[in-house]
Amino acid sequence: MRPPAAHRPPFRLLLVEDEKRLALSLAKGLRAEGYAVDVVHDGLEGLHRAGGDGYDLVVLDIMLPGMNGYRVCGALRAAGNDVPILMLTAKDGEYDEAEGLDTGADDYLTKPFSYVVLVARVKALLRRRGRSAQPVLRVGPLTVDQGARRVERDGAEVALTAKEFAVLEQLAVRAGEVVSKAEILEHVWDFAYEGDVNIIEVYVSALRRKLGAERIATVRGAGYRLVAGD
């Protein structure tokens, strides 16, 4: 059982941002929300601090001195660190977002952004990470443990990012049914998403690479269906 809110220690956030004025502003705002926030301005230092595995979430800029955010994120995932990562960047475009997600980031926010949206995304990622136990779903060779947020294929664990798991979870709870992109966005993103609905394709592609292309069928013009059999 989780401790009462009044006795629960604050979530620990690591903010890796080289724009010092922005970092100071974001840290001040997040602390006002009740989070414990550490700030570093260099990619190498960010990797070192995040690698300590004491953080509940990392807010990671992409354009950093020492080591860019893509490499920091990739190194953390390669080391088995599954801390949720929200990437920040001044760059824009579908390619940049796909690249960030391919390295293992859980979410992506393009500057300039609304502080309200940033907080909503932070809360969404933390909520998914700390969600209480839910049923275990079995779809063909896949086992989706909603409480532990763990996925196995034929008994072997498959590492997924928080957002990949959330997309798979929505397909698994409705296994065999067609789930539209709009429905996935509505349930997986806990904020007013204003980007391209086709970002779902990035996550589905990642899931197909990890779980097998045959597991997720595309129903043209309608959405996706998680397939139990071959």
Side-chain angles (χ1 to χ4, degrees), residues 190-201:
D190 295 335
F191 48 84
Y193 181 71
E194 298 179 353
D196 188 345
V197 68
N198 290 323
I199 188 58
I200 297 300
E201 295 176 4

Side-chain angles (χ1 to χ4, degrees), residues 127-147:
R127 185 158 54 246
R128 294 190 187 101
R129 185 173 178 84
R131 190 174 292 167
S132 58
Q134 298 293 327
V136 175
L137 305 173
R138 292 180 174 81
V139 184
L142 302 180
T143 300
V144 182
D145 187 331
Q146 294 178 280

Side-chain angles (χ1 to χ4, degrees), residues 93-103 108 199 202:
E94 211 169 275
Y95 172 80
D96 300 317
E97 184 163 2
E99 184 175 356
L101 296 171
D102 278 346
T103 62
Y108 181 103
I199 188 58
V202 174

Side-chain angles (χ1 to χ4, degrees), residues 7 12 33 116 170 182 218 222:
H7 303 289
R12 294 189 63 217
E33 296 287 337
V116 173
Q170 288 306 310
T218 298

Side-chain angles (χ1 to χ4, degrees), residues 85-87 97-98 101 105-110 116-128 131 149 161-171 179-207 224:
I85 295 176
L86 171 61
M87 298 191 92
E97 184 163 2
L101 296 171
D106 299 283
D107 207 349
Y108 181 103
L109 194 57
T110 303
V116 173
V117 172
L118 171 71
V119 171
R121 297 194 185 194
V122 166
K123 289 181 177 179
L125 288 172
L126 291 172
R127 185 158 54 246
R128 294 190 187 101
R131 190 174 292 167
R149 308 200 70 71
T161 67
K163 192 60 66 67
E164 288 169 353
F165 182 92
V167 172
L168 176 63
E169 185 179 36
Q170 288 306 310
L171 295 173
V179 184
S180 71
K181 292 179 181 178
E183 288 174 315
I184 295 174
L185 282 174
E186 180 183 352
H187 288 88
V188 173
W189 275 256
D190 295 335
F191 48 84
Y193 181 71
E194 298 179 353
D196 188 345
V197 68
N198 290 323
I199 188 58
I200 297 300
E201 295 176 4
V202 174
Y203 292 100
V204 170
S205 293
L207 289 171
Y224 302 99

